[in-house]
Amino acid sequence: MLKIKLSQTTPNPLQLKLECIPGELHALVGPSGSGKTTALRTIAGLNNASSGKIECDGELWFEANEINGTTTALSPAQRSCGFLFQQYALFPHLNAIENVCIPLYNSINSLAERRVLAQQWLDRMGIGELANRMPNQLSGGQQQRVALARALARSPKILLLDEPFSAIDAPTRQSLYKTLANLRKDLNIPILLVTHDLREADLLADRITVIDQGVGLQTAPPQVLFERPRNSRVAELVGINNMFEGVFSAGKLSWNGSTQVFDVIDKGKIPPNTPVAWVIPAEGLSLHAQVTAQSIEVIVDQISALGQIAVIQLRTTEGSHTIIWEASAAEVKRLSLELGSRSYVEMDASQIHIMPLRPINDPRRFTN
């Protein structure tokens, strides 16, 4: 198991706590400059935090505090990390098998044995026949497979992936996803993936940690994260469309700028008359051609067709709130939706999730 608790203020702020068990893929997501790569480099020993602790498989890799300073800091070579970079980082003067042999020099003296093991890893990556090719003779996907073979060649205790698929075309990326999924079953080690692509994190990760300005805001399985973000900043960072503001008090949620009031389960965590942010998933919305007892009148502001799916932008006649709704082409036709037309949306209050409303400069958004 990998256990991390890090804190530093300069030069790159970082406040992060997470655990990753063997066989788990844990994704770190957040905007550019949020500290994702800094976290990986600190785990690998390329950076050191001002305080905190890093443990892997029961071994202490790093420990420091404000009183005693750094008391333990294994070098990158002493930490059993496999590190896969975005830009492959292959040695251009070495062929594929020679690149994979590099991390084996300190553990295997025999050149023949190193080459046998390196060839086995290239075979597992499905590129065994390319062993003697130079990096400039390989496609981007093939280079990344060589880099992954090299990262795994010395049987690391953890695998760190720093946006490894971002420079690769979509078909190759899908193929590498399958390779990684198959490897996970056999490796049984913690895997940390840094990515800016939420769809990628949702597809691959068992859990996701959202990082903003160097601070871990929330760790949760993908479904929980997208349906029940911890606060409004998390909701913003994971791209939730339908987020609104209101006031919550004793199970009643009022909607700012509207007379609409929803009955929402009160879990006792939010004081009465507290301004909140709230979200509702797509499954909690339904659109109707005729008015119903619980419906809200909306006007169609925009229709964006994406193949057989249309993204509909609706505007409430009361409060001018924007609601995003996705529908099939058949549904658009059934409801006779067109620009400027009126329709009626119902919201399932049981699927509404309320959370603290925190401005970006409010440090309480990190924990509440």
Side-chain angles (χ1 to χ4, degrees):
M1 175 183 289
L2 176 67
K3 295 182 179 180
I4 305 164
K5 185 177 182 181
L6 300 171
S7 178
Q8 67 181 41
T9 55
T10 59
N12 299 307
L14 187 63
Q15 184 179 328
L16 181 65
K17 181 180 180 181
L18 63 84
E19 293 183 354
C20 187
I21 64 175
E24 178 184 22
L25 193 150
H26 193 128
L28 306 181
V29 303
S32 297
S34 61
K36 305 183 299 294
T37 295
T38 297
L40 287 198
R41 290 177 61 85
T42 303
I43 294 167
L46 301 175
N47 296 338
N48 276 334
S50 54
S51 65
K53 180 184 289 188
I54 301 172
E55 293 182 26
C56 184
D57 196 26
E59 182 181 24
L60 183 63
W61 285 4
F62 173 81
E63 187 169 27
N65 57 57
E66 296 179 357
I67 298 176
N68 299 320
T70 301
T71 56
T72 301
L74 300 189
S75 68
Q78 293 173 310
R79 304 185 192 200
S80 183
C81 289
F83 207 137
L84 187 62
F85 300 91
Q86 177 180 351
Q87 296 298 335
Y88 324 134
L90 298 180
F91 292 98
H93 63 290
L94 301 179
N95 63 26
I97 196 168
E98 289 168 341
N99 264 281
V100 180
C101 283
I102 291 294
L104 301 174
Y105 274 83
N106 291 331
S107 57
I108 300 176
N109 292 325
S110 168
L111 172 61
E113 290 180 17
R114 289 197 298 266
R115 292 183 67 88
V116 167
L117 184 55
Q119 184 65 54
Q120 289 174 353
W121 276 106
L122 290 174
D123 291 341
R124 291 183 70 175
M125 296 298 146
I127 53 171
E129 73 282 3
L130 305 179
N132 294 318
R133 289 197 185 179
M134 304 301 288
N136 64 3
Q137 298 174 316
L138 301 171
S139 68
Q142 291 167 345
Q143 289 186 58
Q144 196 61 299
R145 288 178 183 275
V146 173
L148 181 56
R150 185 179 62 185
L152 295 172
R154 66 169 183 158
S155 300
K157 293 182 179 179
I158 63 170
L159 179 61
L160 307 177
L161 309 174
D162 190 5
E163 301 207 36
F165 311 118
S166 61
I168 299 171
D169 61 82
T172 304
R173 191 180 307 131
Q174 293 295 325
S175 177
L176 279 166
Y177 288 166
K178 294 179 181 178
T179 298
L180 182 60
N182 291 331
L183 283 171
R184 283 181 61 187
K185 301 173 185 177
D186 300 329
L187 294 175
N188 197 36
I189 59 175
I191 302 174
L192 285 185
L193 167 69
V194 161
T195 179
H196 66 278
D197 189 336
L198 285 164
R199 292 171 298 178
E200 183 172 275
D202 187 18
L203 176 67
L204 297 176
D206 300 296
R207 288 190 296 166
I208 298 173
T209 293
V210 178
I211 300 180
D212 184 33
Q213 297 180 18
V215 178
L217 302 185
Q218 182 176 359
T219 295
Q223 184 175 359
V224 173
L225 185 68
F226 295 127
E227 293 183 1
R228 298 193 295 278
R230 176 172 291 172
N231 55 46
S232 58
R233 181 58 175 161
V234 174
E236 178 185 349
L237 290 174
V238 299
I240 294 178
N241 287 318
N242 295 311
M243 181 169 64
F244 310 101
E245 296 182 11
V247 176
F248 183 71
S249 185
K252 300 291 183 181
L253 172 65
S254 63
W255 192 358
N256 287 1
S258 171
T259 57
Q260 192 77 27
V261 177
F262 302 99
D263 291 318
V264 179
I265 296 176
D266 188 350
K267 298 179 181 179
K269 295 183 178 181
I270 298 179
N273 299 313
T274 298
V276 295
W278 60 277
V279 296
I280 185 166
E283 296 77 16
L285 300 173
S286 58
L287 204 62
H288 307 276
Q290 304 296 326
V291 65
T292 66
Q294 301 299 320
S295 65
I296 301 166
E297 187 180 59
V298 293
I299 297 174
V300 178
D301 270 353
Q302 185 175 323
I303 301 177
S304 301
L306 304 170
Q308 293 301 309
I309 298 296
V311 178
I312 317 296
Q313 182 175 303
L314 307 167
R315 173 173 46 86
T316 63
T317 55
E318 182 187 35
S320 292
H321 298 292
T322 297
I323 298 173
I324 304 298
W325 187 66
E326 294 186 4
S328 65
E331 190 76 354
V332 172
K333 184 177 180 180
R334 183 183 69 81
L335 294 170
S336 300
L337 297 178
E338 57 185 29
L339 292 181
S341 65
R342 293 181 182 269
S343 193
Y344 303 89
V345 67
E346 283 191 6
M347 295 187 176
D348 182 355
S350 68
Q351 297 193 50
I352 288 177
H353 170 66
I354 60 175
M355 54 201 163
L357 178 62
R358 301 298 191 206
I360 191 169
N361 60 351
D362 186 341
R364 292 177 298 172
R365 80 182 193 279
F366 296 141
T367 56
N368 295 324

